[in-house]
Amino acid sequence: MAERIELYAGTAGHSVWFSNDLGEHFIHPNSHSGLYLEARTWCFSSHSKSPNELLAGTDMGIFVWKESTTRWSLIDSPMTDVWAITQDPDDPDIIYAGARPAKMFRSMNAGKTWEHLYIEGLADFSDINMGPTRFTQILFDPIDQGAIWATVEIGGIFQSTDHGNTWQAKINGLESIDVHGIWITQKSSDEKIIYATTNRGLHRSLNNGESWDFVLLNSPWQYTRGITGQVNDPSIIWLCNGNGPPGDTGKLLKSIDYGYTWQEVTLLTALNSTPWCIATHRSNPDLILICSNLGQVFKSQDQGLHWKKLPHEFGELRALHWRTTNYEDNRPAHSITIRPLPKI
């Protein structure tokens, strides 16, 4: 067996695209791959203990990609529009999924059965959002075992301390409950720092979400989207900042002091819209990818010192993900693209 890096781009209307050469070329699985070619793909999840499988949340439910079959398969669930998905760090069969309208479900057996997790304080803000509200991220707390955080657009921030059985709203001090993402880091054994991104700006909590403080960015816009940390250095955080959804410009910001100060990252090519996602993976701290909402993808292979804009531009991107997979040395990569189509 050998390892290969696989990059996935989730689009709003053109399904999932694949690259196995770090984004220099992307391919689009054909119509017999199992996933509708015009599906909207909102999120991905993969797990080191299931290196040959990928989960995708779409407007048609949850699909699983298997390298053994090079096909997508729909996982039967009560959800038809899945915006956030994650797996338990210790067990890939335990799946948490957030839907639109905003409801959360959990499966303990790789999607064979599901249970609805009641979240106190989660209301339907359709009159504000001009449509059903939705989950934007589900994050396992890397510091407090058993704790999970969930963000909702428009709905706020929720925390569970018992693996998702019960939840509490954590919105005190937020400028907006239109929450896009969350990240947790630790400066010292007694200094846990949590960041949340919203349509009105970045927020910081130093007391485990009991209250939030607004963080003013040195930027003409305060709108923030994706946020994540450098996998080998907890002091480094990456932040997406732009002039709205989708916007027509933006900045990738970097902090090297746990989010207390921020600097703009030079990308060489101007962003065509708000940067939306940041993709990192613990298997390779050097490789970082970001995308703009309107289809640009940028790559760094030296922990963000230098960046390259990738050749392919998409219509609209909502998710970006990469991982390492195992494969047989003599098996062609993504063989779905070279198998002849069945006769119709």
Side-chain angles (χ1 to χ4, degrees):
M1 301 292 286
E3 283 192 341
R4 176 177 66 227
I5 290 178
E6 297 280 5
L7 171 61
Y8 308 93
T11 70
H14 290 282
S15 184
V16 180
W17 292 65
F18 296 70
S19 174
N20 57 23
D21 60 3
L22 299 182
E24 296 303 317
H25 303 86
F26 279 90
I27 60 173
H28 196 198
N30 60 46
S31 59
H32 302 280
S33 67
L35 180 60
Y36 178 48
L37 289 186
E38 296 180 8
R40 298 177 179 181
T41 305
W42 309 119
C43 56
F44 296 112
S45 180
S46 64
H47 200 288
S48 60
K49 293 183 179 179
S50 296
N52 296 312
E53 293 186 0
L54 173 76
L55 299 178
T58 78
D59 61 345
M60 301 171 65
I62 301 174
F63 285 79
V64 57
W65 172 268
K66 295 186 177 182
E67 291 291 326
S68 59
T69 62
T70 57
R71 291 289 187 274
W72 292 104
S73 298
L74 177 65
I75 295 177
D76 189 28
S77 79
M79 298 163 284
T80 56
D81 199 4
V82 178
W83 283 66
I85 191 168
T86 195
Q87 293 160 279
D88 187 291
D90 297 320
D91 188 346
D93 289 345
I94 302 177
I95 305 169
Y96 294 80
R100 174 183 183 267
K103 292 183 180 180
M104 186 181 291
F105 295 84
R106 177 178 61 193
S107 174
M108 305 295 289
N109 51 16
K112 295 181 178 65
T113 60
W114 294 87
E115 58 182 316
H116 177 213
L117 302 179
Y118 174 73
I119 299 181
E120 184 178 358
L122 179 60
D124 184 0
F125 294 91
S126 296
D127 56 332
I128 301 174
N129 200 38
M130 301 300 290
T133 188
R134 59 259 187 175
F135 280 88
T136 48
Q137 188 177 357
I138 305 169
L139 178 69
F140 273 82
D141 194 311
I143 299 167
D144 295 329
Q145 188 174 11
I148 308 173
W149 296 82
T151 59
V152 181
E153 179 188 356
I154 297 171
I157 301 172
F158 299 88
Q159 181 202 35
S160 172
T161 58
D162 55 8
H163 300 276
N165 294 322
T166 59
W167 296 81
Q168 302 81 39
K170 301 290 183 180
I171 60 174
N172 182 34
L174 290 178
E175 295 285 324
S176 169
I177 58 170
D178 184 353
V179 187
H180 301 146
I182 193 165
W183 184 252
I184 301 170
T185 190
Q186 189 171 28
K187 190 173 182 180
S188 63
S189 60
D190 59 352
E191 190 172 356
K192 176 180 177 180
I193 308 172
I194 309 177
Y195 288 95
T197 61
T198 77
N199 65 326
R200 294 184 183 174
L202 181 66
H203 294 75
R204 179 193 297 122
S205 176
L206 299 178
N207 55 10
N208 206 35
E210 293 304 313
S211 63
W212 298 89
D213 294 315
F214 177 75
V215 178
L216 181 65
L217 299 174
N218 183 22
S219 171
W221 334 283
Q222 296 304 305
Y223 184 92
T224 50
R225 203 77 205 187
I227 183 169
T228 194
Q230 182 66 29
V231 294
N232 62 338
D233 188 341
S235 69
I236 298 176
I237 306 175
W238 305 93
L239 175 67
C240 295
N241 168 233
N243 65 344
D248 57 13
T249 187
K251 297 180 179 182
L252 175 64
L253 301 179
K254 177 183 180 181
S255 174
I256 60 173
D257 59 0
Y258 299 90
Y260 285 95
T261 61
W262 297 89
Q263 300 81 37
E264 182 178 1
V265 175
T266 301
L267 296 174
L268 298 181
T269 302
L271 284 158
N272 65 358
S273 54
T274 295
W276 213 251
C277 310
I278 309 159
T280 62
H281 196 279
R282 59 182 175 272
S283 65
N284 183 351
D286 293 337
L287 180 61
I288 305 170
L289 293 113
I290 72 162
C291 68
S292 71
N293 192 200
L294 294 185
Q296 294 172 319
V297 183
F298 295 81
K299 173 180 67 178
S300 173
Q301 293 180 266
D302 55 10
Q303 299 190 38
L305 294 177
H306 303 90
W307 292 85
K308 175 185 179 181
K309 180 182 173 296
L310 298 180
H312 190 97
E313 286 198 18
F314 299 86
E316 182 178 351
L317 284 173
R318 290 302 189 99
L320 195 64
H321 186 84
W322 71 266
R323 65 192 180 112
T324 55
T325 67
N326 296 325
Y327 71 102
E328 298 289 346
D329 286 326
N330 60 354
R331 191 189 63 143
H334 296 314
S335 55
I336 60 168
T337 62
I338 62 174
R339 290 176 182 166
L341 296 178
K343 295 181 179 179
I344 299 175

